[in-house]
Short mmCIF file of all heavy atoms in Angstrom, two decimals:
data_model
loop_
_atom_site.label_atom_id
_atom_site.label_comp_id
_atom_site.label_asym_id
_atom_site.label_seq_id
_atom_site.Cartn_x
_atom_site.Cartn_y
_atom_site.Cartn_z
N GLN A 331 -23.21 6.58 -24.73
CA GLN A 331 -22.20 7.65 -24.64
C GLN A 331 -22.24 8.46 -25.92
O GLN A 331 -22.48 7.93 -27.01
CB GLN A 331 -20.81 7.08 -24.38
CG GLN A 331 -20.02 6.64 -25.61
CD GLN A 331 -19.31 7.78 -26.35
OE1 GLN A 331 -18.76 8.68 -25.73
NE2 GLN A 331 -19.32 7.76 -27.69
N LEU A 332 -21.98 9.75 -25.78
CA LEU A 332 -21.76 10.60 -26.95
C LEU A 332 -20.79 11.70 -26.57
O LEU A 332 -20.87 12.28 -25.48
CB LEU A 332 -23.07 11.24 -27.43
CG LEU A 332 -24.05 10.33 -28.18
CD1 LEU A 332 -25.37 11.04 -28.39
CD2 LEU A 332 -23.47 9.86 -29.52
N GLY A 333 -19.87 11.96 -27.47
CA GLY A 333 -18.98 13.10 -27.31
C GLY A 333 -19.49 14.20 -28.22
O GLY A 333 -19.68 13.98 -29.41
N GLN A 334 -19.75 15.35 -27.65
CA GLN A 334 -20.39 16.38 -28.47
C GLN A 334 -19.84 17.77 -28.16
O GLN A 334 -19.19 18.00 -27.15
CB GLN A 334 -21.90 16.35 -28.28
CG GLN A 334 -22.35 16.64 -26.86
CD GLN A 334 -23.87 16.57 -26.74
OE1 GLN A 334 -24.49 15.58 -27.11
NE2 GLN A 334 -24.46 17.64 -26.24
N ILE A 340 -22.18 16.02 -33.03
CA ILE A 340 -21.27 14.89 -32.82
C ILE A 340 -20.32 14.68 -34.00
O ILE A 340 -19.50 13.77 -33.99
CB ILE A 340 -22.04 13.58 -32.53
CG1 ILE A 340 -22.98 13.22 -33.69
CG2 ILE A 340 -22.79 13.67 -31.22
CD1 ILE A 340 -23.43 11.77 -33.66
N ALA A 341 -20.45 15.50 -35.01
CA ALA A 341 -19.56 15.41 -36.18
C ALA A 341 -19.81 16.65 -37.03
O ALA A 341 -20.73 17.43 -36.77
CB ALA A 341 -19.86 14.15 -37.01
N GLY A 345 -19.19 14.37 -41.76
CA GLY A 345 -18.98 13.14 -40.98
C GLY A 345 -17.64 13.09 -40.26
O GLY A 345 -17.22 12.05 -39.77
N SER A 347 -15.36 13.50 -37.21
CA SER A 347 -15.61 13.59 -35.76
C SER A 347 -14.34 13.37 -34.92
O SER A 347 -14.41 13.32 -33.71
CB SER A 347 -16.68 12.59 -35.32
OG SER A 347 -16.21 11.28 -35.48
N ILE A 350 -13.56 15.48 -31.51
CA ILE A 350 -14.32 16.53 -30.82
C ILE A 350 -13.80 16.64 -29.39
O ILE A 350 -13.61 17.74 -28.87
CB ILE A 350 -15.82 16.18 -30.85
CG1 ILE A 350 -16.35 16.35 -32.28
CG2 ILE A 350 -16.61 17.05 -29.86
CD1 ILE A 350 -17.78 15.94 -32.47
N GLY A 372 -23.99 1.86 -34.56
CA GLY A 372 -24.89 1.79 -35.70
C GLY A 372 -24.11 1.75 -37.00
O GLY A 372 -22.91 2.05 -37.06
N ALA A 373 -24.84 1.42 -38.06
CA ALA A 373 -24.22 1.27 -39.38
C ALA A 373 -23.59 2.58 -39.86
O ALA A 373 -22.58 2.57 -40.56
CB ALA A 373 -25.27 0.78 -40.38
N GLY A 374 -24.19 3.73 -39.49
CA GLY A 374 -23.67 5.02 -39.93
C GLY A 374 -22.26 5.25 -39.42
O GLY A 374 -21.36 5.69 -40.17
N THR A 375 -22.02 4.92 -38.17
CA THR A 375 -20.68 5.09 -37.58
C THR A 375 -19.69 4.12 -38.21
O THR A 375 -18.55 4.49 -38.49
CB THR A 375 -20.76 4.89 -36.05
OG1 THR A 375 -21.62 5.89 -35.52
CG2 THR A 375 -19.41 5.00 -35.39
N ARG A 377 -19.78 3.02 -41.20
CA ARG A 377 -19.46 3.51 -42.55
C ARG A 377 -18.57 4.75 -42.48
O ARG A 377 -17.61 4.88 -43.23
CB ARG A 377 -20.74 3.82 -43.33
CG ARG A 377 -21.46 2.56 -43.81
CD ARG A 377 -22.60 2.93 -44.73
NE ARG A 377 -23.54 3.83 -44.07
CZ ARG A 377 -24.80 3.53 -43.77
NH1 ARG A 377 -25.26 2.34 -44.06
NH2 ARG A 377 -25.58 4.40 -43.20
N ASP A 378 -18.89 5.69 -41.58
CA ASP A 378 -18.15 6.97 -41.55
C ASP A 378 -16.79 6.85 -40.89
O ASP A 378 -15.82 7.46 -41.34
CB ASP A 378 -18.96 8.04 -40.80
CG ASP A 378 -20.16 8.50 -41.58
OD1 ASP A 378 -20.31 8.07 -42.74
OD2 ASP A 378 -20.96 9.27 -41.03
N ASP A 379 -16.72 6.08 -39.80
CA ASP A 379 -15.49 6.08 -38.98
C ASP A 379 -14.68 4.79 -39.13
O ASP A 379 -13.50 4.79 -38.79
CB ASP A 379 -15.84 6.23 -37.48
CG ASP A 379 -16.49 7.56 -37.17
OD1 ASP A 379 -16.58 8.40 -38.08
OD2 ASP A 379 -16.89 7.75 -36.00
N VAL A 398 -25.07 -2.77 -35.47
CA VAL A 398 -26.50 -2.79 -35.83
C VAL A 398 -26.60 -2.33 -37.28
O VAL A 398 -26.39 -1.17 -37.60
CB VAL A 398 -27.32 -1.85 -34.92
CG1 VAL A 398 -28.80 -1.97 -35.24
CG2 VAL A 398 -27.09 -2.19 -33.46
N ASP A 399 -26.92 -3.27 -38.14
CA ASP A 399 -26.83 -3.03 -39.59
C ASP A 399 -28.03 -3.71 -40.27
O ASP A 399 -27.88 -4.73 -40.94
CB ASP A 399 -25.49 -3.64 -40.07
CG ASP A 399 -25.23 -3.42 -41.55
OD1 ASP A 399 -25.80 -2.49 -42.14
OD2 ASP A 399 -24.41 -4.19 -42.10
N PRO A 400 -29.24 -3.14 -40.08
CA PRO A 400 -30.46 -3.86 -40.48
C PRO A 400 -30.48 -4.24 -41.96
O PRO A 400 -31.04 -5.27 -42.31
CB PRO A 400 -31.59 -2.88 -40.16
CG PRO A 400 -30.93 -1.54 -40.06
CD PRO A 400 -29.56 -1.81 -39.54
N ASN A 401 -29.84 -3.42 -42.78
CA ASN A 401 -29.89 -3.69 -44.23
C ASN A 401 -28.61 -4.34 -44.76
O ASN A 401 -28.45 -4.47 -45.96
CB ASN A 401 -30.16 -2.37 -44.97
CG ASN A 401 -31.46 -1.75 -44.50
OD1 ASN A 401 -32.52 -2.32 -44.69
ND2 ASN A 401 -31.36 -0.60 -43.84
N ARG A 403 -25.64 -3.14 -44.89
CA ARG A 403 -24.98 -2.19 -45.79
C ARG A 403 -23.50 -2.03 -45.53
O ARG A 403 -22.78 -1.49 -46.35
CB ARG A 403 -25.61 -0.79 -45.63
CG ARG A 403 -26.97 -0.69 -46.25
CD ARG A 403 -27.41 0.76 -46.21
NE ARG A 403 -28.86 0.82 -46.24
CZ ARG A 403 -29.54 1.89 -45.92
NH1 ARG A 403 -28.93 2.98 -45.55
NH2 ARG A 403 -30.86 1.87 -45.98
N GLY A 454 -38.04 -1.25 -40.82
CA GLY A 454 -36.57 -1.13 -40.85
C GLY A 454 -35.97 -0.87 -39.48
O GLY A 454 -34.76 -0.71 -39.35
N PHE A 455 -36.80 -0.86 -38.44
CA PHE A 455 -36.37 -0.48 -37.10
C PHE A 455 -36.32 -1.71 -36.20
O PHE A 455 -37.28 -2.48 -36.15
CB PHE A 455 -37.35 0.56 -36.57
CG PHE A 455 -37.08 0.99 -35.16
CD1 PHE A 455 -36.04 1.86 -34.89
CD2 PHE A 455 -37.87 0.54 -34.11
CE1 PHE A 455 -35.77 2.26 -33.58
CE2 PHE A 455 -37.61 0.93 -32.81
CZ PHE A 455 -36.56 1.80 -32.55
N MET A 456 -35.21 -1.87 -35.49
CA MET A 456 -35.13 -2.94 -34.49
C MET A 456 -35.43 -2.34 -33.12
O MET A 456 -34.85 -1.31 -32.77
CB MET A 456 -33.70 -3.50 -34.41
CG MET A 456 -33.22 -4.21 -35.64
SD MET A 456 -31.44 -4.64 -35.42
CE MET A 456 -31.06 -5.26 -37.04
N PRO A 458 -34.80 -1.62 -29.52
CA PRO A 458 -33.61 -1.80 -28.68
C PRO A 458 -33.75 -2.96 -27.68
O PRO A 458 -32.78 -3.67 -27.42
CB PRO A 458 -33.49 -0.44 -27.98
CG PRO A 458 -34.01 0.52 -29.00
CD PRO A 458 -35.19 -0.20 -29.62
N ILE A 461 -32.81 -6.01 -29.43
CA ILE A 461 -31.34 -6.06 -29.60
C ILE A 461 -30.70 -6.58 -28.31
O ILE A 461 -29.85 -7.47 -28.33
CB ILE A 461 -30.79 -4.66 -29.96
CG1 ILE A 461 -31.26 -4.25 -31.35
CG2 ILE A 461 -29.27 -4.62 -29.85
CD1 ILE A 461 -30.90 -2.83 -31.75
N GLU A 476 -22.21 3.05 -28.14
CA GLU A 476 -21.17 4.07 -28.33
C GLU A 476 -21.53 5.12 -29.37
O GLU A 476 -20.90 6.17 -29.46
CB GLU A 476 -19.85 3.37 -28.66
CG GLU A 476 -18.72 4.34 -28.80
CD GLU A 476 -17.35 3.71 -28.81
OE1 GLU A 476 -17.09 2.80 -28.01
OE2 GLU A 476 -16.53 4.15 -29.63
N GLY A 477 -22.51 4.85 -30.19
CA GLY A 477 -22.87 5.87 -31.18
C GLY A 477 -23.38 5.22 -32.45
O GLY A 477 -23.51 4.00 -32.51
N GLY A 478 -23.70 6.03 -33.46
CA GLY A 478 -23.75 7.47 -33.36
C GLY A 478 -25.04 7.96 -32.73
O GLY A 478 -25.73 7.25 -31.98
N GLY A 479 -25.39 9.20 -33.10
CA GLY A 479 -26.52 9.86 -32.50
C GLY A 479 -27.83 9.11 -32.68
O GLY A 479 -28.64 9.00 -31.74
N LYS A 480 -28.05 8.57 -33.88
CA LYS A 480 -29.33 7.89 -34.13
C LYS A 480 -29.46 6.67 -33.25
O LYS A 480 -30.52 6.40 -32.67
CB LYS A 480 -29.42 7.47 -35.60
CG LYS A 480 -29.63 8.61 -36.55
CD LYS A 480 -29.74 8.10 -37.98
CE LYS A 480 -29.74 9.29 -38.94
NZ LYS A 480 -29.07 8.99 -40.20
N THR A 481 -28.39 5.92 -33.14
CA THR A 481 -28.44 4.66 -32.38
C THR A 481 -28.64 4.94 -30.89
O THR A 481 -29.53 4.35 -30.25
CB THR A 481 -27.14 3.86 -32.63
OG1 THR A 481 -27.02 3.67 -34.03
CG2 THR A 481 -27.16 2.54 -31.92
N ARG A 484 -32.17 6.16 -30.21
CA ARG A 484 -33.20 5.12 -30.22
C ARG A 484 -33.22 4.34 -28.91
O ARG A 484 -34.29 3.98 -28.42
CB ARG A 484 -32.98 4.19 -31.42
CG ARG A 484 -33.43 4.84 -32.69
CD ARG A 484 -33.07 4.06 -33.90
NE ARG A 484 -33.64 4.69 -35.10
CZ ARG A 484 -33.32 4.37 -36.33
NH1 ARG A 484 -32.44 3.42 -36.56
NH2 ARG A 484 -33.90 4.97 -37.34
N PRO A 507 -24.48 16.72 -37.78
CA PRO A 507 -25.46 15.93 -37.04
C PRO A 507 -25.43 16.22 -35.54
O PRO A 507 -24.36 16.45 -34.97
CB PRO A 507 -25.06 14.48 -37.33
CG PRO A 507 -23.65 14.54 -37.81
CD PRO A 507 -23.44 15.89 -38.42
N1 NAP B 194 -18.96 12.02 -31.14
C1 NAP B 194 -19.30 10.78 -30.84
O1 NAP B 194 -19.35 10.36 -29.69
C2 NAP B 194 -19.64 9.86 -31.97
C3 NAP B 194 -19.80 8.49 -31.70
C4 NAP B 194 -20.13 7.67 -32.76
C5 NAP B 194 -20.31 8.21 -34.01
N2 NAP B 194 -20.14 9.54 -34.22
C6 NAP B 194 -20.41 10.14 -35.54
O2 NAP B 194 -21.78 9.97 -35.78
C7 NAP B 194 -22.01 9.87 -37.17
C8 NAP B 194 -22.90 8.67 -37.44
O3 NAP B 194 -24.02 8.76 -36.61
P1 NAP B 194 -25.48 8.53 -37.14
O4 NAP B 194 -26.40 8.97 -36.09
O5 NAP B 194 -25.58 9.13 -38.51
O6 NAP B 194 -25.51 6.98 -37.39
P2 NAP B 194 -25.42 5.72 -36.41
O7 NAP B 194 -26.23 5.91 -35.19
O8 NAP B 194 -24.02 5.29 -36.26
O9 NAP B 194 -26.09 4.63 -37.34
C9 NAP B 194 -27.45 4.76 -37.66
C10 NAP B 194 -27.83 3.58 -38.53
O10 NAP B 194 -27.61 2.37 -37.81
C11 NAP B 194 -28.70 1.50 -38.02
N3 NAP B 194 -29.45 1.42 -36.74
C12 NAP B 194 -29.08 1.88 -35.56
N4 NAP B 194 -30.00 1.60 -34.61
C13 NAP B 194 -30.97 0.91 -35.22
C14 NAP B 194 -32.20 0.33 -34.80
N5 NAP B 194 -32.61 0.38 -33.53
N6 NAP B 194 -32.97 -0.27 -35.72
C15 NAP B 194 -32.56 -0.32 -37.00
N7 NAP B 194 -31.42 0.22 -37.46
C16 NAP B 194 -30.63 0.81 -36.58
C17 NAP B 194 -29.51 2.11 -39.14
O11 NAP B 194 -28.89 1.67 -40.34
P3 NAP B 194 -29.51 1.85 -41.82
O12 NAP B 194 -29.09 3.24 -42.22
O13 NAP B 194 -28.86 0.81 -42.66
O14 NAP B 194 -30.99 1.69 -41.69
C18 NAP B 194 -29.30 3.59 -38.88
O15 NAP B 194 -29.56 4.45 -39.95
C19 NAP B 194 -20.65 9.71 -37.81
O16 NAP B 194 -20.32 10.95 -38.44
C20 NAP B 194 -19.72 9.44 -36.66
O17 NAP B 194 -18.45 10.02 -36.91
C21 NAP B 194 -19.82 10.37 -33.23
#
Side-chain angles (χ1 to χ4, degrees):
Q331 85 81 40
L332 284 171
Q334 62 181 54
I340 59 163
S347 66
I350 289 175
T375 298
R377 285 188 303 245
D378 289 354
D379 296 354
V398 184
D399 183 22
N401 302 296
R403 286 188 205 164
F455 177 76
M456 294 174 187
I461 292 174
E476 183 167 317
K480 288 181 189 146
T481 303
R484 284 171 175 169

